[in-house]
């Protein structure tokens, strides 16, 4: 009782009173008759309405606290990057995008990072939608981060923090299990579900671009985009210079009949956006 009184907010006693009123009203409604039963039903209905209102208020309060804590965590991680040199480079990056007929997207990003600072505690990356995506879809975005399994070892989950920036970009901070010393490597796999991410593309309303870039040179990067079976799309490379860059761009049907466009790049320069532009034919 002492802990409840000390740690429960002001809404706690109100919720408790409403719960008692609900129990009492139900008891009177089941045992009473006439006006007494009517009064019991009215008391129970009022208690239900109060409890529902309290649940909504509590949800709003806790959501506000969650947003604040995420913002502060991201702010301090940004300070660690800028002031204390939390830096890393990407050794390899493979991003596979599987587009569903309704425009939903399931993607997997497998990458290896190398620590460029004395001790690396986390790494970040960004992703975004290329149209005026409704904000209501944000709550349906799902992500899972795991270590890469090699010869039966690995595959365990990593904690991560996500935050939506003002321009609709999703920022994800992956918190590493153990600190990584300078020159050390860690390999991660991120599975994501994006509702309606490619909806305009699948409706035929507009072309879509699949892009990424890195702050350090990347020895190997690959982008794979899969369309639903039976679809046909035109495509162009983005960010690649024919005479200077080492890349390949291919389109084929995979083993299940999906059109698959693959862009493979070696020795990608820093801050170079690269990717593929698709348009349903």
């Amino acid at each position: 009782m002492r802990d409840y009184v000390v740690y429960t907010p002001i809404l706690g006693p109100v919720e408790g009173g409403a719960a008692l009123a609900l129990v009492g009203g139900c008891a009177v409604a089941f045992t009473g008759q006439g006006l007494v039963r009517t009064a019991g039903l009215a008391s129970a209905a009022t208690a239900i309405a109060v409890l529902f209102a309290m649940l909504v208020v509590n949800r709003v309060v806790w959501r506000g606290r969650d947003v604040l804590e995420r913002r502060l965590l991201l702010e301090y991680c940004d300070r660690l990057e800028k002031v204390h040199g939390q830096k890393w480079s990407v050794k390899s990056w493979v991003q596979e995008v599987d587009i569903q007929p309704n425009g939903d997207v399931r993607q997997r990003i497998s990458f290896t990072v190398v620590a460029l600072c004395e001790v690396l505690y986390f790494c970040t990356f960004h992703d975004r939608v290329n149209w005026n995506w409704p904000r209501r879809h944000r709550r349906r975005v799902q992500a899972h981060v795991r270590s890469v399994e090699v010869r039966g070892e690995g595959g365990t989950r990593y904690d991560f923090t996500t935050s939506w920036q003002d321009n609709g970009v999703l920022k994800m901070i992956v918190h590493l299990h153990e600190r990584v010393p300078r020159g050390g490597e860690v390999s991660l796999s991120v599975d994501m579900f994006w509702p309606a991410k490619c909806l305009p593309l699948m409706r035929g309303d507009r072309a879509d671009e699949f892009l990424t870039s890195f702050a350090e040179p990347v020895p190997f990067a690959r982008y794979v985009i899969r369309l639903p079976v039976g679809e046909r799309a035109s495509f162009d490379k983005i960010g690649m210079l024919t005479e200077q860059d080492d890349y390949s761009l291919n389109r084929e049907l995979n083993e299940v009949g999906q059109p698959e466009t693959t862009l493979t790049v070696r020795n990608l320069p820093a801050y170079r956006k690269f990717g593929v532009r698709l348009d349903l034919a």
Side-chain angles (χ1 to χ4, degrees), residues 138-210:
R138 292 184 176 183
R139 61 183 176 83
R140 295 178 54 210
V141 174
Q142 302 173 16
H144 303 278
V145 183
R146 296 180 180 272
S147 59
V148 174
E149 185 174 346
V150 179
R151 293 188 294 275
E153 181 180 350
T156 58
R157 288 175 291 182
Y158 277 72
D159 293 328
F160 61 91
T161 304
T162 58
S163 178
W164 292 97
Q165 300 181 347
D166 294 337
N167 56 357
V169 173
L170 176 64
K171 181 175 183 178
M172 176 179 287
I173 300 178
V174 180
H175 308 282
L176 304 179
H177 290 165
E178 298 178 346
R179 59 183 187 178
V180 181
R182 183 185 296 273
E185 299 181 1
V186 59
S187 297
L188 303 171
S189 178
V190 182
D191 290 298
M192 299 187 69
F193 169 72
W194 285 81
K197 186 177 185 182
C198 292
L199 182 59
L201 172 69
M202 297 309 299
R203 284 179 174 174
D205 296 339
R206 49 170 288 184
D208 206 343
E209 295 180 348
F210 302 84

Side-chain angles (χ1 to χ4, degrees), residues 109-150:
I109 305 174
S110 302
F111 61 99
T112 299
V113 298
V114 181
L116 301 180
C117 53
E118 291 301 322
V119 180
L120 182 66
Y121 294 99
F122 62 88
C123 61
T124 64
F125 68 93
H126 302 77
D127 204 352
R128 68 177 302 163
V129 179
N130 294 322
W131 64 287
N132 190 21
W133 193 58
R135 292 175 61 93
R136 68 177 183 274
H137 290 317
R138 292 184 176 183
R139 61 183 176 83
R140 295 178 54 210
V141 174
Q142 302 173 16
H144 303 278
V145 183
R146 296 180 180 272
S147 59
V148 174
E149 185 174 346
V150 179

Side-chain angles (χ1 to χ4, degrees), residues 234-253:
S234 303
F235 64 97
D236 285 312
K237 62 182 181 298
I238 299 177
M240 295 291 98
L241 304 176
T242 304
E243 299 79 9
Q244 302 177 14
D245 294 323
D246 182 5
Y247 75 93
S248 63
L249 180 60
N250 302 304
R251 179 173 61 182
E252 60 183 4
L253 294 179

